[in-house]
Amino acid sequence: MSKSPLATRLAVIAGLLVLTAPFLWTKLDPDFNTGFVSLSLAPSNAIQFLSVVLPAAVVGWLLAGIGFLWGRFGPTKPVIATGSQKLFESPRLLVATCAVLAGFGFFMSAKFLSLGTFVCIHMMLAIGLNVTIGFTGLLVLGYAAFYATGAYAFALVAHACPWFPTWAALPVGFLVAASTGFLVGLPCLRLRGDYLAIVTLGFAEALRELLRNLPQTGGDMGLLVPTSARIQSLGPVGQAQASWIAAVAVTLFVGLVIHRLYHSRIGRAWIAIREDETAAAMMGIPVVRLKLLAFSVSAGIAGVPGAFFAGFAGFVDPSTATFEQSVLILAMVILGGIGSLPGSILGALVLYLVPTLLRDWFPAISDYRLLFFGAILVAMMLFRPQGLCGSPRHKLELEGKS
Amino acid sequence: MRALLFALMLEILVNGLARGAIYALIALGYTMVYGILGMINFAHGEIFMLGMFGAVYALGALGSAGLMAVGITLPLAIVAAMVFSAGFGILNERIAYRKLRGAHLLAPLTSAIGMSIVLQNFVMLSVTKGKVDFPRAIAAPLADTTWTFGSWDLSSIQATILSVLPDVWARWMASKWVVQSVHLSALQLLIFAITLGLMGLLFWLIQRTRLGIALRAVAQDRTMASLCGMKVDGLITLTFALGSALAASAGVMVSMYQGVLRFDAGYMMGLKAFTAAVLGGIGNIPGAVIGGLLIGLAEDLTSFTIASEWKQSTAFAILILVLWLRPRGLLGERVADKV
Amino acid sequence: MTLVLKATGVTKSFGGLKAVQNVSIEAHAGQVLSIIGPNGAGKTTFFNCLSGIYPLDSGTVELAGKRINGLAPHQVSRAGLSRSFQNIRLFPEMTVLQNVLVGRFSRSPRQILASVLRTRSWRREEDKALARSKELLEFAGLSARAQAWARALPYGLQRRLEVARALATDPKILLLDEPGAGMNPQEIGEMMGLVKSIANLGIAVVVIEHHMKLVMEISDRIVVLDHGEHLAEGTPEEVRRNPRVVEAYLGRSEDQHG
């Protein structure tokens, strides 16, 4: 506090430069004969790293600047939040949106549609994770575990009963993942929020170990979903179109359910818990039960895209439960805005599309993806904790002041 | 039979305690930060990993300078790694925690997770995706110096077991019980020595010095401590630095023990050390030590009696059990919410 | 006078410190009971014991004849006890109206599925909760700020909002922890009026307060705590004249609170 902010910032930057220097500017030369190691200068290492990170930082800086100007001179009403409010409040508009998006399916290539389907899957995941992180204020780090639970649940069911209808994948995915979430949340939701983060992280790791070691789940290879249980073409509608249409419909449906829960007694109780647990309890809210409900719903929603993925891709493997997948979903929620439904949708759109599209031009991007996601988490918390979309409640404040 | 059981227990004890001592060193960092800030330091596993790399880079620099003698280079490398990690620990606190101290709990947790991901991937991108060998010439003299105690003939006992037990069990047990003597390496001794030394130093610092009193005061009531003229920011920074240095020393020993280091080594290690801290009662310093030792023993028991493939899940199972049955941990006290 | 709350021999200690020792109170419908005592006398701890935040070491608490000690805070609230907090604990990132709506939680039916389907009965219940909340905002004089963010309210109004939110749980008894703290004389006057009108609704009100003027004017009875113990009890006039009280409390803090 005694130092000026500028001096502190310079000290932090200087520290970063010094501490990262060995990794960036030097290279280890192990001598296999003697078993010793020596160090040599290797600027090429740093040049390669910085050639990716510096341009990305500049782009991020520019985007932040544009965002700042938009906030300064753009429309005062949050466009996206208001739009989402209108969309989910009017069933007619929702059906129309669904029809228009589904109609696109007939003019797009199969490759594009598959990309779109994956975007929808990630939107559902972001919406689901937002229920725990955004509404209830509980950090979940191993969210992908529930995605994998849904996927494996459907794959296993489809193997056991081949007559199982494809559409039934979704409730199966939801129920199995929600019950898993319930069991995982039960021991730790009585405790402070940060325990859930670690427990879900550990659960994801343990689940992956389980999936890889159990004979029933096919080890590292995973499982194939029987053709009869996959999403199929229907008359003039090809398989890619059918998947896309189903993905859009299911995503909008999940969004609608969450929107309605959010604007109900339950949703208000969740937010009250996030804001102040003791005060919420004093208002007659059974805090532990509602946290458990939020976490189970959240886990269950991850099971829906999980089962959808199994029916769409035709296979499941342990990589659905990786830490990387969990981080991706977390970054989507944080970027879009904690507690904001349209934010989750936007975050998923940006963070899935940008790396995927960039991969064609810069293959290196897939290595740097996770680094950037981590940086997004830190930067958003420091500079714009409410995320890109902020929270729909901003609107209410503006109205209240006028 | 009794001698055999004794030998088995001793073997598990030695290996488990060596592993547990390392968990304890890392768990101390979690518990200290939790004690003073009331938050989990999610990037702590990565600080441990950076300590591993810091030591190897320090050895490399010493090697380039022509210094080869293990007796000199190893202590220097450990100190260098501790300083290096402490630096990263301070940066972590500055970037991920300081500005967010008054915010909702979610904010510092998220930024710390972000830091952890950034650090891990930075090492992956700037060093290597694969593994780095710990210089063999440094580790080998210690790892290869082993003492063997006792020697037991198992054949007759195995035969007895096989005749008594059902087939499946007997085969399973026979496949497991192959230990015939107890091994102890110089490296394990070094691990015990360094762990005990550092912990003694830490206890002395916290219990006997003015600095320690200040640290405990800040942990109890930050506002009051600052009103009493304590430099709270500095003390929090110091806590991060101390915890990071301990984790780094653990990092050096793990990389010698295993012979290799990887950018993602901090991930599982962090999870287990955190479990150790929770088991002992998070925020409680002796608790972290006991928790670490117990987790180490439990893991060795698991890989010995069940299967080593499930070793990773042991810590998780313990974590769930502790949270279920005794969330305050073994030595933790119940802290009431301030209303 | 109907007896609403009866606490008998409430005791709570933290480690070696006996924060509340063998304290008994009775609160009656439509009456204001004040609890006074020097700082650290255990007043807030006593509230925390009544509202289920701290478990009791010994003693019983009965609300309308039913035991409520041992219940969790949300069960206590459901049974009809509500409270405000010494350091205001609103839900800052919710609007004023939403804050009060949260208070309706336990008084509206459980309808998870119905809220997703938006059935007619759900709409009816939601409208009812909304109407009742607006009524309470009107009562507390906050109608004009219904759509403002709770954290954007000025301090005095935040205190009033806490009271309105507590009333939304339809309490039989309301515990107010220093409702006048940090307020200017005019705001205190308004708060006194609010407390009186709550009592007039037939709700038992228990107030912790330091402002002697406020206490003497609104209280039907006063309980004095000192060092966690029940020191004296009576009408304002009796307490004012009690020499033990003057010695333990009024004499010492006269310079602060006059």
Side-chain angles (χ1 to χ4, degrees):
Chain A
M1 255 171 253
S2 52
K3 276 181 270 178
S4 71
L6 183 69
T8 319
R9 206 166 286 181
L10 284 179
V12 169
I13 291 172
L16 261 179
L17 290 178
V18 171
L19 287 173
T20 54
F23 293 158
L24 282 179
W25 301 96
T26 66
K27 193 161 72 68
L28 288 168
D29 303 309
D31 184 336
F32 292 107
N33 295 321
T34 62
F36 282 104
V37 67
S38 58
L39 215 56
S40 57
L41 276 179
S44 62
N45 206 0
I47 290 166
Q48 200 201 342
F49 180 77
L50 294 177
S51 68
V52 179
V53 171
L54 283 183
V58 169
V59 171
W61 210 252
L62 285 177
L63 287 177
I66 293 172
F68 177 75
L69 290 177
W70 174 266
R72 210 62 189 286
F73 305 108
T76 45
K77 274 205 170 184
V79 184
I80 299 169
T82 326
S84 136
Q85 183 83 11
K86 277 196 186 127
L87 174 67
F88 287 114
E89 280 299 331
S90 144
R92 230 177 276 167
L93 196 59
L94 199 67
V95 171
T97 313
C98 187
V100 169
L101 285 175
F104 276 137
F106 296 96
F107 305 99
M108 299 290 173
S109 68
K111 191 183 161 215
F112 193 87
L113 287 177
S114 139
L115 184 66
T117 308
F118 271 112
V119 169
C120 284
I121 286 176
H122 283 89
M123 280 179 179
M124 284 186 258
L125 288 170
I127 291 172
L129 183 58
N130 204 359
V131 173
T132 18
I133 295 195
F135 298 173
T136 327
L138 298 165
L139 187 56
V140 175
L141 288 180
Y143 192 60
F146 302 106
Y147 176 51
T149 306
Y152 270 91
F154 176 54
L156 288 171
V157 167
H159 266 282
C161 4
W163 44 264
F164 205 73
T166 311
W167 61 264
L170 304 178
V172 165
F174 180 85
L175 287 176
V176 174
S179 348
T180 313
F182 180 80
L183 290 177
V184 173
L186 207 51
C188 55
L189 281 172
R190 292 174 296 155
L191 311 169
R192 267 171 44 123
D194 31 6
Y195 284 93
L196 184 69
I198 288 272
V199 167
T200 51
L201 187 67
F203 171 67
E205 249 352 270
L207 182 77
R208 225 150 57 87
E209 202 168 273
L210 203 71
L211 293 177
R212 293 171 63 170
N213 286 332
L214 282 182
Q216 290 84 354
T217 49
D220 280 326
M221 298 296 293
L223 288 175
L224 281 178
V225 178
T227 327
S228 59
R230 293 183 202 173
I231 298 175
Q232 304 192 349
S233 52
L234 249 173
V237 185
Q239 200 199 359
Q241 273 97 353
S243 305
W244 160 251
I245 293 168
V248 167
V250 176
T251 307
L252 286 175
F253 177 71
V254 167
L256 179 73
V257 169
I258 294 307
H259 174 85
R260 288 186 163 184
L261 273 182
Y262 180 76
H263 290 279
S264 78
R265 168 178 171 271
I266 304 285
R268 288 193 293 266
W270 282 340
I271 297 161
I273 291 171
R274 177 187 76 191
E275 298 289 296
D276 190 329
E277 258 181 53
T278 310
M282 234 29 256
M283 291 301 109
I285 296 168
V287 172
V288 176
R289 218 180 303 160
L290 271 150
K291 277 190 195 172
L292 210 47
L293 176 70
F295 186 55
S296 308
V297 167
S298 183
I301 287 175
V304 172
F308 190 93
F309 171 78
F312 165 64
F315 73 94
V316 291
D317 66 20
S319 74
T320 41
T322 51
F323 182 56
E324 181 170 357
Q325 181 70 33
S326 296
V327 170
L328 171 64
I329 307 166
L330 179 64
M332 288 168 177
V333 173
I334 300 291
L335 181 72
I338 297 175
S340 155
L341 177 62
S344 300
I345 294 174
L346 183 75
L349 189 73
V350 171
L351 284 191
Y352 192 81
L353 277 186
V354 171
T356 313
L357 294 178
L358 280 182
R359 203 161 47 195
D360 292 344
W361 292 300
F362 309 104
I365 198 78
S366 45
D367 282 345
Y368 284 81
R369 218 162 65 123
L370 218 51
L371 183 81
F372 293 141
F373 292 161
I376 285 175
L377 293 186
V378 180
M380 292 307 284
M381 282 301 115
L382 289 179
F383 303 116
R384 202 179 155 84
Q386 77 272 33
L388 290 183
C389 281
S391 151
R393 278 165 283 131
H394 273 290
K395 186 182 125 217
L396 297 165
E397 182 188 35
L398 290 173
E399 283 174 4
K401 272 184 181 164
S402 60
Chain B
M1 184 74 191
R2 200 173 289 168
L4 169 76
L5 273 178
F6 183 69
L8 274 176
M9 273 164 57
L10 224 68
E11 175 87 7
I12 291 174
L13 205 65
V14 169
N15 288 333
L17 285 184
R19 192 192 296 279
I22 283 166
Y23 294 154
L25 275 179
I26 309 168
L28 279 172
Y30 277 110
T31 232
M32 284 163 69
V33 167
Y34 194 93
I36 205 158
L37 275 187
M39 285 177 219
I40 298 173
N41 178 8
F42 274 115
H44 196 55
E46 264 49 63
I47 301 288
F48 157 85
M49 176 273 293
L50 287 163
M52 291 175 128
F53 279 87
V56 177
Y57 273 87
L59 285 171
L62 291 169
S64 301
L67 265 174
M68 300 286 179
V70 177
I72 303 167
T73 53
L74 185 60
L76 281 178
I78 293 178
V79 171
M82 289 170 80
V83 172
F84 188 66
S85 278
F88 271 108
I90 292 169
L91 275 182
N92 174 36
E93 193 267 334
R94 283 273 169 169
I95 297 173
Y97 284 91
R98 175 146 322 166
K99 232 187 102 181
L100 300 172
R101 225 179 271 158
H104 191 277
L105 182 65
L106 200 60
L109 290 188
T110 310
S111 67
I113 272 291
M115 273 308 270
S116 144
I117 297 163
V118 167
L119 290 175
Q120 196 185 65
N121 283 276
F122 168 69
V123 173
M124 180 191 92
L125 292 164
S126 64
V127 183
T128 172
K129 271 190 201 179
K131 58 185 170 45
V132 171
D133 292 310
F134 191 88
R136 190 166 30 87
I138 308 283
L142 287 163
D144 295 348
T145 313
T146 55
W147 297 278
T148 309
F149 301 100
S151 174
W152 291 274
D153 184 14
L154 293 188
S155 49
S156 64
I157 298 162
Q158 270 191 5
T160 326
I161 294 171
L162 288 171
S163 64
V164 176
L165 288 177
D167 232 23
V168 189
W169 286 20
R171 236 180 293 136
W172 174 68
M173 285 190 116
S175 70
K176 294 285 166 197
W177 290 20
V178 288
V179 177
Q180 299 191 20
S181 46
V182 180
H183 306 275
L184 180 68
S185 70
L187 186 55
Q188 282 172 327
L189 278 183
L190 183 74
I191 290 177
F192 291 136
I194 290 186
T195 310
L196 281 177
L198 286 175
M199 281 176 189
L201 213 61
L202 183 72
F203 283 120
W204 172 78
L205 182 80
I206 288 177
Q207 297 295 337
R208 293 269 180 270
T209 63
R210 278 171 59 87
L211 196 64
I213 295 172
L215 281 174
R216 282 183 288 155
V218 174
Q220 292 221 336
D221 190 331
R222 208 183 301 155
T223 322
M224 200 59 215
S226 93
L227 288 174
C228 291
M230 288 169 198
K231 294 192 171 112
V232 172
D233 280 348
L235 288 168
I236 291 176
T237 308
L238 179 74
T239 308
F240 271 83
L242 282 176
S244 305
L246 293 179
S249 67
V252 183
M253 289 183 274
V254 171
S255 42
M256 284 169 76
Y257 207 57
Q258 298 177 339
V260 291
L261 37 152
R262 276 174 60 92
F263 68 94
D264 57 2
Y267 177 60
M268 273 321 283
M269 199 53 113
L271 196 59
K272 289 177 191 173
F274 173 78
T275 305
V278 172
L279 176 62
I282 194 152
N284 184 308
I285 290 182
V289 177
I290 294 173
L293 294 178
L294 285 179
I295 298 274
L297 283 175
E299 274 195 1
D300 244 64
L301 267 175
T302 317
S303 53
F304 196 79
T305 53
I306 304 174
S308 56
E309 297 94 75
W310 299 102
K311 208 168 67 182
Q312 307 291 349
S313 299
T314 315
F316 176 66
I318 293 176
L319 179 62
I320 289 283
L321 277 178
V322 175
L323 292 181
W324 184 269
L325 301 172
R326 199 180 159 82
R328 306 165 248 169
L330 296 174
L331 299 185
E333 288 165 29
R334 193 187 141 81
V335 189
D337 185 15
K338 280 182 197 154
V339 179
Chain C
M1 279 203 318
T2 19
L3 180 66
V4 177
L5 182 96
K6 186 174 180 211
T8 322
V10 172
T11 301
K12 175 76 193 171
S13 44
F14 299 103
L17 176 77
K18 294 200 166 164
V20 177
Q21 266 186 81
N22 199 18
V23 174
S24 307
I25 61 160
E26 290 185 356
H28 299 273
Q31 297 219 330
V32 179
L33 173 74
S34 288
I35 298 179
I36 61 171
N39 284 327
K43 302 180 299 283
T44 297
T45 307
F46 183 56
F47 266 19
N48 286 341
C49 290
L50 295 184
S51 51
I53 290 173
Y54 295 156
L56 301 186
D57 293 346
S58 65
T60 55
V61 183
E62 281 178 20
L63 180 63
K66 269 188 279 179
R67 267 179 71 139
I68 56 165
N69 55 307
L71 297 183
H74 71 268
Q75 294 164 321
V76 171
S77 160
R78 202 170 279 241
L81 182 147
S82 195
R83 68 171 287 183
S84 72
F85 295 90
Q86 188 178 359
N87 46 336
I88 303 177
R89 298 185 79 152
L90 291 169
F91 307 122
E93 305 268 311
M94 296 175 95
T95 66
V96 170
L97 181 62
Q98 283 172 330
N99 263 275
V100 182
L101 273 169
V102 169
R104 295 302 300 163
F105 183 87
S106 53
R107 303 296 172 217
S108 22
R110 191 188 309 181
Q111 291 186 315
I112 299 180
L113 212 60
S115 64
V116 171
L117 297 175
R118 298 234 159 139
T119 59
R120 195 166 290 168
S121 75
W122 177 83
R123 253 175 230 283
R124 208 165 40 230
E125 288 298 335
E126 191 76 2
D127 286 344
K128 251 200 268 177
L130 206 63
R132 175 81 179 124
S133 303
K134 285 184 172 159
E135 211 177 286
L136 285 167
L137 285 180
E138 183 76 52
F139 179 74
L142 286 164
S143 294
R145 305 286 196 128
Q147 296 300 329
W149 261 11
R151 64 164 167 74
L153 280 187
Y155 180 81
L157 294 187
Q158 289 197 357
R159 284 239 176 255
R160 298 176 79 88
L161 175 56
E162 237 199 347
V163 175
R165 186 183 66 176
L167 283 174
T169 62
D170 290 348
K172 296 190 183 78
I173 178 166
L174 182 63
L175 313 184
L176 299 176
D177 198 343
E178 299 199 23
M183 287 184 163
N184 63 35
Q186 193 209 333
E187 288 172 325
I188 287 187
E190 287 168 8
M191 184 52 86
M192 270 194 305
L194 186 61
V195 173
K196 275 183 188 159
S197 51
I198 293 169
N200 287 339
L201 294 172
I203 295 172
V205 184
V206 183
V207 181
I208 292 178
E209 194 42 77
H210 278 300
H211 266 282
M212 277 307 128
K213 184 163 169 278
L214 200 153
V215 169
M216 291 299 164
E217 252 179 65
I218 59 172
S219 312
D220 294 294
R221 288 184 79 74
I222 297 177
V223 169
V224 188
L225 294 188
D226 189 27
H227 291 106
E229 286 182 87
H230 188 289
L231 189 73
E233 183 171 355
T235 62
E237 205 43 43
E238 286 164 4
V239 167
R240 204 200 298 266
R241 275 186 275 127
N242 189 325
R244 289 180 69 193
V245 177
V246 175
E247 186 198 341
Y249 179 65
L250 292 174
R252 247 188 290 152
S253 55
E254 211 163 32
D255 47 337
Q256 286 169 26
H257 300 293

